[in-house]
Amino acid sequence: MAVSEAEAIVMEVLWHAAPRSAEEILAEVGPAQGWREGTVKSLLNRLLKKKAVKAEKEGRRYLYTPLLSRDKYVSQESKGLLDRLFDGRVAPLVAHFSEQRKLSKKDIAELKKLLKELDDEQP
Amino acid sequence: MAVSEAEAIVMEVLWHAAPRSAEEILAEVGPAQGWREGTVKSLLNRLLKKKAVKAEKEGRRYLYTPLLSRDKYVSQESKGLLDRLFDGRVAPLVAHFSEQRKLSKKDIAELKKLLKELDDEQP
DNA sequence: AATTTATGTTTACATGCGTAAACTATAGAA
DNA sequence: TTCTATAGTTTACGCATGTAAACATAAATT
């Protein structure tokens, strides 16, 4: 089952640093998201059920660690979008952003560099 | 309110050719999706409520036409993903696909062409 | 005119999600 | 030892979604 958007926000905290306690996670996302204790606890439980995180007892509480890697999550999400909207191909996606003028100078520079590196790999 | 995934499949039919009747839409997506009549009708009604399509009476039935453009929809979806996962920037997204070896030869060629065109626009 | 057929409209129902309150258990504090 | 603070577990509730069935209505057919 898929990790939902709210759950992904909790995952981001754990991807950034793990293991963390529920309390630490709350401290990190609660204020920004306007979430209470119960909300974070529910999300953690759903993530446990989905096997996206694991919990290890540490004293009276649990410390949570990701089982699903950010890379894997990002891959799934990106591939989903690509397949649904761009027939699974990357160039049309970039072309879309280009048409929308959403490519920054920095993006363009980085893309050039990336392509050059690909050339160097496979001459 | 957002157009859901199932709704987007109906939209794709209309983006491809509109106006279309419910019957035509069913004929086009029903078999592939395993959807019955009622399902397509429900989706069309939700799309109407969301103002993503409009309906014009034609004889005893309605013909549906998109109000939301595919371009706008694609933009929203893409921007959402980009913001959530790549800090709003395109280059890291492409880098991700590159790392996952998801860039085809064709993608690479097209990206090069695209970047060259951008150069030519703004010399 | 009565019945069947084609369409659209209303209602349904399980599941997931966002958001939590209520409940429970347990380790410290008094 | 009893009370309290803390952390996890259970239950809740409204809304969206996927997936229709049931119902209403009007046109076409018998």
Side-chain angles (χ1 to χ4, degrees):
Chain A
M1 209 178 316
V3 168
S4 79
E5 222 169 296
E7 288 158 8
I9 291 171
V10 169
M11 291 302 291
E12 289 287 357
V13 176
L14 293 175
W15 285 323
H16 181 254
R20 319 288 297 270
S21 66
E23 196 193 5
E24 289 171 302
I25 295 168
L26 173 62
E28 202 153 314
V29 297
Q33 304 292 328
W35 285 346
R36 314 299 208 54
E37 209 192 341
T39 304
V40 169
K41 287 178 179 177
S42 282
L43 293 173
L44 282 170
N45 275 319
R46 288 177 185 170
L47 288 168
L48 277 173
K49 200 166 295 174
K50 294 179 182 182
K51 311 260 188 203
V53 307
K54 69 176 177 181
E56 288 162 315
K57 201 142 217 164
E58 194 255 14
R60 44 157 47 279
R61 66 195 183 160
Y62 283 105
L63 296 183
Y64 299 87
T65 307
L67 287 181
L68 173 67
S69 72
R70 185 171 200 277
D71 235 54
K72 187 149 195 172
Y73 174 74
V74 167
S75 284
Q76 286 167 184
E77 294 290 303
S78 308
K79 184 171 188 314
L81 182 97
L82 212 64
D83 288 349
R84 283 190 300 115
L85 301 183
F86 298 98
D87 199 25
R89 296 192 31 259
V90 176
L93 185 162
V94 177
H96 171 83
F97 282 114
S98 176
E99 282 155 24
Q100 306 298 125
R101 314 274 150 187
K102 287 291 162 47
L103 290 183
S104 65
K105 298 267 179 213
K106 196 172 170 192
D107 275 326
I108 294 171
E110 285 180 30
L111 287 174
K112 282 180 184 167
K113 182 150 167 268
L114 181 67
L115 287 171
K116 181 175 281 182
E117 284 166 9
L118 285 177
D119 272 348
D120 295 349
E121 272 175 36
Q122 255 108 34
Chain B
M1 210 178 314
V3 168
S4 80
E5 221 169 298
E7 288 158 7
I9 292 171
V10 169
M11 292 301 292
E12 290 286 358
V13 176
L14 293 175
W15 284 324
H16 181 252
R20 318 288 296 273
S21 67
E23 197 192 5
E24 290 171 301
I25 295 168
L26 173 62
E28 202 153 314
V29 298
Q33 304 292 327
W35 285 346
R36 316 302 209 56
E37 208 192 340
T39 304
V40 170
K41 287 176 177 177
S42 282
L43 293 173
L44 282 170
N45 275 319
R46 287 178 187 170
L47 287 168
L48 277 173
K49 200 166 293 171
K50 293 178 181 182
K51 310 261 189 203
V53 306
K54 69 175 176 180
E56 286 162 315
K57 201 142 216 164
E58 193 255 16
R60 45 157 49 279
R61 66 199 181 159
Y62 283 104
L63 296 183
Y64 299 87
T65 308
L67 288 180
L68 173 67
S69 72
R70 185 172 201 275
D71 234 54
K72 187 150 193 171
Y73 174 73
V74 167
S75 283
Q76 285 167 184
E77 294 291 303
S78 308
K79 185 172 186 314
L81 182 97
L82 211 65
D83 288 349
R84 282 189 301 114
L85 301 182
F86 297 98
D87 199 25
R89 298 196 26 262
V90 176
L93 185 162
V94 177
H96 171 83
F97 283 115
S98 175
E99 282 155 24
Q100 306 297 127
R101 312 277 150 183
K102 288 289 161 50
L103 290 183
S104 65
K105 297 267 179 213
K106 195 171 170 193
D107 276 326
I108 294 172
E110 285 180 30
L111 288 174
K112 281 180 184 167
K113 183 152 167 264
L114 180 67
L115 287 171
K116 181 174 281 182
E117 283 166 9
L118 286 176
D119 271 349
D120 294 349
E121 273 174 35
Q122 255 107 33

